[in-house]
Amino acid sequence: VAKSGGRRKKRSSSVVAEPEGRLTKLFHASPVALAISTVGEGRIIDVNQIWLELFGYQREEVVGRTNAELGITVDPAIRSTAVQRVGADGVLRNFELQVRRKSGELRDVIVSAVPVEIGGEECWISSQVDITDRNRAEAERDQLLASERAARAEAEAALERLRAIESITDSALRRLGFDELLHELLARLQRALDTDAATVMLINEDGRTLSPRAAYGYELNPALRVRMGFGVTGLVAARGQPVVVDDYSRVDVSGIAGLHEPDVRSAVSSVMGVPLRIGDMVVGVVVVSSGRPRRFTKEELSLMGLVADRVAPAIELGRLMERVRGGRERQRVLARRLLTAQEEERRRLAVELHDELGQVLTAVKINLASLERRPAGSAPSAHLSEALASVDGAMERVRDLALALRPSVLDDLGLPAALRWYADRFARDAAIEAHLSIDDVPRLEPEIETACFRVAQEALTNVARHAKARCVWLDLHLHDGWLELSVRDDGIGFEAAAARERAVGGASMGLLGMQERVTLLEGECRIASGSEGGTELRARLPVHDTPRGEA
Ligand SMILES: Nc1ncnc2c1ncn2[C@@H]1O[C@H](COP(=O)(O)OP(=O)(O)OP(=O)(O)O)[C@@H](O)[C@H]1O
Ligand SMILES: [Mg+2]
């Protein structure tokens, strides 16, 4: 060591020169693990205490053996690799490798070795430093760095998404009316997702179909009706789950009415739809489509989902407002028509009274006057019997008029009998087979009986006038505090929503009247019909009080 600046040969010999001297002390006292082994086979000649601690052996276990025999060697080729790494000066520097301790535990070490000659034999004296912890720390730091980078990227992506949602659903939307809101929303969604078209479909009142409510990028087709569970939007609505379709040509469009299939097939390649949800309830679907085939990504889907969740309440609110407005409008129309109807009824009554009773009374008066002029004691003449007959006729007319004003059967017989009477008469006059299933419900509040009777009357009249039906089924049941009426036919059916629109526009009164009567009594009235045929009206009215006549 003293001549360490000298040539290799000399330095080596100096170690050997004083085996029990200072170098030996240094060897054993070194804080670094040191070993001396033969160059040829790598047999261990000596190791220091730190080496023993590092590898977990006793000295007598290792002297005379090789690393490979001891199992310290992990990679059998490591010795030849190390030899290749020996520098031009014959020194191996900072060679990293993995070793196995006696316990089997693997450690990373860094080795440097210099050749020495001991007792005429070429040996390596090597130092080993355990760098496992350092490596681990480094790996941990790398991992931390990576996860920090990932977290930052994620945060940025989230922010980006948030910005996108914000730009789609910003507060400016709140100031828009319902239709502009939908239009603007779809325009933004279409821009953000770079699609060709975007549509909002809402579930109809019948709960079985969806209708388009707003479209962007193409002309909205108001005749479109999607059955729940069919097509993409029907599936989204039925499942309450998003649906992504890369290849639209595979979608079965058989459950979609009013759709021109070739047009849609040529315009749509990929579709993505998400539900519009209020709490657990699905109220509609937002769907975007692309003309060129594409794969919508998870991010795009989640963006659309977030937008849908964010705007669903606004859409529902808009629809409710619209319904309220529609209800008010309906009420106004009804009130107006009711007035007209009353006026007409009055006029008719006035004409009847004038024409029928006026003439009869005039005849009676003439007859009575001629009786007055007769000499006293003469026999009753034909004038008297004529007058009596006229009075009889007048009484009959009055009864007819009263009957037209209010069906007395209802008062006299109660609802079930009145319905049977009316339905029988209806079946006979209209030549339609009537199947009745009418429970003998007890007497109910008069308004309820009247409303139910009138609704049945209008429904049956509609069947006779419009349905071209062969059969009609009329059911009346009292169930759980509800009086339930159903009138069903096997006729041609009709688009109930469209008919209601026309009625609100003043085209007719029947449907609105039924709805209004039932709603006034806090009941529910639904019409299920469609172009497939058959119509069913269901009305239910709450029955609160003790029924009449049973108390
Ligand atoms: N059972 C039915 N089958 C087929 N179409 C029907 C049926 N009920 C109603 N409709 C259709 O709905 C429309 C509206 O019915 P609504 O009762 O409101 O009017 P209306 O019967 O034409 O006239 P009114 O005001 O005198 O009742 C009808 O014109 C008819 O086209
Ligand atoms: Mg009608």
Side-chain angles (χ1 to χ4, degrees):
V1 171
K3 297 177 186 166
S4 64
R7 284 183 303 118
R8 207 175 103 197
K9 193 75 181 165
K10 280 197 174 164
R11 197 177 56 215
S12 308
S13 48
S14 69
V15 172
V16 186
E18 42 157 44
E20 294 306 322
R22 284 176 295 165
L23 282 179
T24 307
K25 270 194 196 131
L26 181 61
F27 180 81
H28 286 292
S30 163
V32 175
L34 294 175
I36 300 171
S37 56
T38 63
V39 165
E41 286 181 290
R43 288 202 180 281
I44 295 170
I45 294 169
D46 201 359
V47 293
N48 69 358
Q49 191 54 35
I50 299 294
W51 190 100
L52 291 170
E53 281 165 18
L54 173 58
F55 289 94
Y57 288 96
Q58 303 293 324
R59 179 170 283 102
E60 48 282 14
E61 290 176 299
V62 300
V63 170
R65 310 192 60 191
T66 67
N67 280 354
E69 287 168 3
L70 289 167
I72 290 175
T73 305
V74 176
D75 171 10
I78 199 71
R79 222 173 127 77
S80 58
T81 313
V83 169
Q84 284 161 23
R85 293 279 305 276
V86 172
D89 56 356
V91 175
L92 177 68
R93 288 193 175 79
N94 300 334
F95 180 62
E96 283 188 33
L97 75 160
Q98 215 175 30
V99 296
R100 189 182 291 108
R101 306 184 66 194
K102 190 180 176 187
S103 65
E105 183 193 355
L106 294 176
R107 307 292 291 182
D108 297 328
V109 297
I110 186 164
V111 175
S112 295
V114 291
V116 293
E117 201 182 293
I118 295 174
E121 187 162 13
E122 288 282 344
C123 295
W124 287 109
I125 176 160
S126 58
S127 67
Q128 352 248 331
V129 177
D130 186 344
I131 56 166
T132 312
D133 293 341
R134 193 196 74 190
N135 283 0
R136 206 172 279 158
E138 254 166 31
E140 256 163 39
R141 204 191 54 208
D142 285 352
Q143 215 171 1
L144 271 176
L145 269 173
S147 63
E148 198 238 22
R149 261 197 302 276
R152 191 175 313 147
E154 205 169 286
E156 262 160 27
L159 196 67
E160 197 45 52
R161 238 183 355 241
L162 216 69
R163 267 193 221 114
I165 302 171
E166 204 56 55
S167 77
I168 296 176
T169 64
D170 69 17
S171 52
L173 285 183
R174 255 177 261 147
R175 289 194 295 276
L176 299 177
F178 186 39
D179 283 309
E180 294 127 309
L181 167 116
L182 290 179
H183 190 260
E184 184 59 30
L185 177 74
L186 290 180
R188 293 176 184 193
L189 203 57
Q190 186 258 1
R191 269 202 303 276
L193 296 173
D194 189 25
T195 59
D196 296 314
T199 314
V200 167
M201 307 275 299
L202 296 180
I203 296 181
N204 293 318
E205 264 178 68
D206 61 14
R208 300 189 309 188
T209 55
L210 292 134
S211 295
R213 184 50 219 243
Y216 192 85
Y218 71 105
E219 180 112 8
L220 182 137
N221 169 9
L224 198 71
R225 289 277 175 291
V226 180
R227 293 235 301 276
M228 293 288 263
F230 288 81
V232 173
T233 50
L235 262 184
V236 174
R239 291 187 190 156
Q241 295 285 337
V243 170
V244 180
V245 175
D246 293 333
D247 181 3
Y248 189 74
S249 68
R250 294 240 199 80
V251 174
D252 174 13
V253 294
S254 59
I256 306 178
L259 172 106
H260 189 238
E261 190 171 340
D263 284 357
V264 174
R265 294 276 183 223
S266 68
V268 179
S269 294
S270 304
V271 181
M272 168 165 75
V274 299
L276 286 167
R277 225 195 291 264
I278 307 289
D280 298 340
M281 193 178 63
V282 178
V283 296
V285 174
V286 190
V287 60
V288 292
S289 66
S290 163
R292 67 186 161 82
R294 66 184 268 185
R295 286 175 181 281
F296 289 107
T297 63
K298 253 203 209 136
E299 282 69 38
E300 288 167 329
L301 182 64
S302 84
L303 173 64
M304 196 150 120
L306 289 168
V307 167
D309 288 348
R310 179 118 174 217
V311 297
I315 290 178
E316 185 61 3
L317 186 69
R319 178 147 82 156
L320 287 177
M321 297 283 282
E322 211 170 52
R323 263 192 219 154
V324 170
R325 239 175 299 174
R328 278 208 207 109
E329 176 61 19
R330 218 158 52 216
Q331 230 167 20
R332 242 167 19 93
V333 170
L334 257 161
R336 215 170 40 230
R337 299 210 39 167
L338 220 66
L339 268 181
T340 334
Q342 271 176 0
E343 286 304 322
E344 265 169 24
E345 193 65 18
R346 284 202 186 124
R347 203 168 45 235
R348 200 172 65 77
L349 277 175
V351 171
E352 295 260 331
L353 282 172
H354 173 268
D355 291 357
E356 301 275 341
L357 291 186
Q359 281 167 21
V360 172
L361 290 176
T362 310
V364 170
K365 187 177 170 197
I366 292 169
N367 285 334
L368 289 179
S370 69
L371 278 178
E372 199 178 32
R373 281 197 305 275
R374 275 167 39 88
S378 62
S381 73
H383 289 299
L384 187 54
S385 30
E386 237 174 71
L388 284 172
S390 297
V391 170
D392 277 347
M395 275 162 67
E396 203 162 300
R397 291 308 300 142
V398 168
R399 206 179 309 121
D400 282 353
L401 283 175
L403 241 166
L405 284 176
R406 177 165 172 76
S408 63
V409 276
L410 203 51
D411 285 335
D412 299 343
L413 309 177
L415 183 59
L419 279 180
R420 276 189 211 109
W421 165 76
Y422 187 83
D424 284 343
R425 218 189 60 179
F426 161 86
R428 198 190 56 224
D429 294 351
I432 294 177
E433 218 175 275
H435 302 266
L436 310 183
S437 164
I438 297 176
D439 285 357
D440 275 319
V441 301
R443 299 301 309 244
L444 304 163
E445 295 143 89
E447 312 82 73
I448 294 206
E449 290 190 339
T450 307
C452 188
F453 186 79
R454 289 296 193 204
V455 168
Q457 215 174 7
E458 171 59 25
L460 287 173
T461 306
N462 276 353
V463 173
R465 278 174 67 187
H466 311 295
K468 300 194 172 72
R470 261 181 0 96
C471 303
V472 63
W473 290 262
L474 189 146
D475 293 4
L476 180 80
H477 304 294
L478 188 61
H479 182 70
D480 261 355
W482 290 90
L483 183 66
E484 298 178 338
L485 171 77
S486 151
V487 179
R488 184 162 63 85
D489 68 60
D490 61 355
I492 54 175
F494 68 110
E495 288 294 344
R500 191 169 301 129
E501 296 266 303
R502 283 198 301 276
V504 171
S508 69
M509 173 110 152
L511 296 180
L512 298 185
M514 292 194 277
Q515 179 80 54
E516 229 48 46
R517 269 184 196 282
V518 172
T519 311
L520 268 176
L521 295 173
E522 285 163 359
E524 290 159 15
C525 182
R526 273 178 198 283
I527 290 195
S529 187
S531 35
E532 313 97 59
T535 299
E536 177 167 19
L537 169 122
R538 281 177 165 281
R540 46 192 228 134
L541 293 159
V543 179
H544 314 285
D545 296 343
T546 329
R548 275 194 293 165
E550 280 218 335

